[in-house]
Amino acid sequence: MAVGATVVALTAVAMLVVLPFARRWSEREAVIFTTGERLARLSGIAGQETAIRAQLVTLDAALDGRGARLVRARTPALASSIIQSYVQAEARASRVSISRLDVAGSPATPGGDGVVMPATLSAVGDIYGVADYLRRLQHGPRLIEIAELAVAPNPTLRGNLLQLSLTLRIPVALEP
């Protein structure tokens, strides 16, 4: 009887204490090993940061040399923000005042990893500014298609200013 009770007690201790302790110990060791591997990889990447940045600059320069570039973003909303910033910067450089800019439309023609974002804008400027703005959009560093264009004199403004209305189509490459 005493031997049976001892065997049951030892089995209970093994099942309730030793096995859970061993399981937790091996899980902890696995987490420590995985964390160590991650830390080693991150340290390796951090050690190569200058080389990676130099390679990025080289690739970026090569892409700039090829001509018009796609807008790249993770989501259509981020692409919309990039497009708005670019269109407004080109308008400022051309001395054209944008009165309305809408890039919040839903993307047209989804397919693969890219979409075509529609943009509509209204702007005011003199003939030289409008011509420069259109040239910058057409031949600038971003790939932009001018789908619709309307230019009309604005009699309410002094200085022979023109009212410009544009509909643009901008291809966007969505990145993961």
Side-chain angles (χ1 to χ4, degrees):
M1 186 80 143
V3 173
T6 306
V7 169
V8 168
L10 287 176
T11 304
V13 168
M15 294 299 284
L16 297 174
V17 177
V18 175
L19 285 177
F21 177 76
R23 193 174 304 125
R24 274 190 236 125
W25 183 275
S26 75
E27 289 171 356
R28 190 184 76 158
E29 289 298 316
V31 167
I32 290 171
F33 178 75
T34 304
T35 305
E37 282 185 338
R38 286 183 189 159
L39 182 62
R41 279 185 278 165
L42 288 174
S43 296
I45 291 171
Q48 298 175 356
E49 181 181 4
T50 55
I52 291 170
R53 287 190 186 274
Q55 187 178 16
L56 176 65
V57 168
T58 303
L59 289 173
D60 220 9
L63 286 174
D64 281 338
R66 290 184 184 170
R69 292 176 57 186
L70 290 176
V71 172
R72 296 184 182 282
R74 291 180 186 234
T75 65
L78 290 174
S80 175
S81 175
I82 292 168
I83 291 167
Q84 284 180 353
S85 296
Y86 175 73
V87 167
Q88 289 172 341
E90 293 299 329
R92 277 191 302 276
S94 299
R95 296 191 176 166
V96 170
S97 175
I98 294 181
S99 57
R100 183 181 60 84
L101 174 59
D102 179 25
V103 190
S106 62
T109 65
D113 294 335
V115 296
V116 176
M117 295 289 294
T120 57
L121 67 97
S122 294
V124 175
D126 64 1
I127 192 162
Y128 301 108
V130 168
D132 185 49
Y133 186 52
L134 292 173
R135 182 191 58 78
R136 286 174 178 270
L137 290 178
Q138 188 73 30
H139 302 291
R142 297 286 184 198
L143 185 59
I144 295 178
E145 175 190 349
I146 299 175
E148 293 179 24
L149 166 68
V151 180
N154 193 334
T156 60
L157 299 174
R158 289 186 272 184
N160 295 327
L161 295 178
L162 299 174
Q163 180 72 36
L164 173 68
S165 297
L166 287 174
T167 300
L168 307 172
R169 294 171 34 93
I170 302 102
V172 175
L174 296 177
E175 298 177 336

